[in-house]
Amino acid sequence: VFDKTGTLTIGSPSVRNIVALRGNEKEILRLAAIAERNSEHPLAEAIINEAKKKNIKIEEPDSFEAVPGHGVKIKYKKREILFGNRNLMLEHKTELNKIEDKLIKLEEQGKTAMILAENKNILGIIAVADTLKEHSIEAIKKLKEMGIEVILLTGDNEKTAKAIAKQVGIEQVMAQVLPGDKANIIKKLQKEKKVVAMVGDGINDAPALAQADIGIAIGSG
């Protein structure tokens, strides 16, 4: 079982698209960077780096709340701003119909699309993508030749996960898995009498790595 970000991919995503629905691209990036300023997520790092590259001043929000697996919620100058995935928007009754086509198009390119919203209004979308590690395709091919079943397990959305899985040759994809549920999926596979090796790099993979018969932590994990 492979985690995606930082395992099959390099783990240093970068901003690829900024779609402004209200205001301009610079303002969308500025608000997203303020929202992500106190986050430790690799996607947050991509947003911050892009803002710094464009010399955007990243102010401190008045309050910050991370919503695991969904995104972040901040208060900034009396504004309540959300930045995250579909689930975060649905939780706050923000309508996605107008942008669904745009989101799908970005996700089918293997990008992670994050939505910026205020007061149930969508301000824009920022799409971030990671690069495959040099030997990912080769490693998956060799495991399959050895008769080992390979699964991709990720918190990312299904379309993005499937696009990456297709590139490396993985057929089985478990996407949109919350950090706390990764270990439960390993348990389920073990109940099916499978011997499971889990490969991950992040702190959120720790319970799954511990649950697996073999836990393989790579990178700086």
Side-chain angles (χ1 to χ4, degrees), residues 123-140:
L123 306 177
I125 306 162
I126 297 184
V128 169
D130 207 345
T131 310
L132 280 182
K133 279 189 179 168
E134 192 189 345
H135 299 295
S136 291
I137 295 170
E138 190 188 343
I140 301 303

Side-chain angles (χ1 to χ4, degrees), residues 30-219:
R30 185 180 82 88
L31 290 172
I34 290 167
E36 292 286 22
R37 185 183 155 131
N38 296 311
S39 171
E40 290 170 356
H41 200 281
L43 297 178
E45 210 176 307
I47 304 280
I48 301 289
N49 288 344
E50 187 67 17
K52 282 179 178 167
K53 225 191 281 177
K54 295 195 166 144
N55 296 318
I56 292 170
K57 189 178 176 220
I58 308 166
E59 292 175 66
E60 185 72 47
D62 302 317
S63 73
F64 168 86
E65 185 193 336
V67 186
H70 289 184
V72 295
K73 204 159 67 173
I74 65 156
K75 277 202 175 87
Y76 167 69
K77 292 188 175 171
K78 297 183 178 157
R79 299 169 74 179
E80 281 202 16
I81 291 165
L82 302 171
F83 187 54
N85 60 21
R86 283 182 183 81
N87 292 336
L88 185 71
M89 298 303 134
L90 296 171
E91 220 173 81
H92 291 83
K93 300 181 173 51
T94 302
E95 196 51 67
L96 293 172
N97 290 349
K98 286 179 187 164
I99 61 160
E100 196 56 51
D101 289 352
K102 285 188 176 79
L103 293 175
I104 290 169
K105 202 173 157 192
L106 292 165
E107 288 162 357
E108 282 172 345
Q109 294 165 3
K111 296 167 184 170
T112 302
M114 293 177 284
I115 307 148
L116 184 76
E118 178 185 11
N119 301 332
K120 298 188 172 58
N121 293 316
I122 292 168
L123 306 177
I125 306 162
I126 297 184
V128 169
D130 207 345
T131 310
L132 280 182
K133 279 189 179 168
E134 192 189 345
H135 299 295
S136 291
I137 295 170
E138 190 188 343
I140 301 303
K141 190 169 169 263
K142 287 195 170 163
L143 287 169
K144 283 169 136 183
E145 282 167 4
M146 291 161 72
I148 292 169
E149 185 185 343
V150 184
I151 296 170
L152 176 64
L153 177 62
T154 177
D156 215 333
N157 73 78
E158 203 161 337
K159 283 197 169 58
T160 304
K162 281 185 171 167
I164 296 289
K166 196 177 169 188
Q167 287 176 44
V168 293
I170 296 177
E171 285 84 26
Q172 291 191 70
V173 177
M174 295 179 185
Q176 281 169 305
V177 181
L178 290 171
D181 292 337
K182 284 188 175 182
N184 294 333
I185 286 174
I186 304 293
K187 264 186 209 165
K188 197 167 153 257
L189 292 166
Q190 288 167 328
K191 277 185 184 150
E192 292 167 18
K193 301 276 182 283
K194 288 175 178 172
V195 178
V196 184
M198 167 78 195
V199 190
D201 87 309
I203 188 81
N204 62 346
D205 296 320
L209 291 167
Q211 178 60 41
D213 298 280
I214 306 169
I216 304 167
I218 59 170

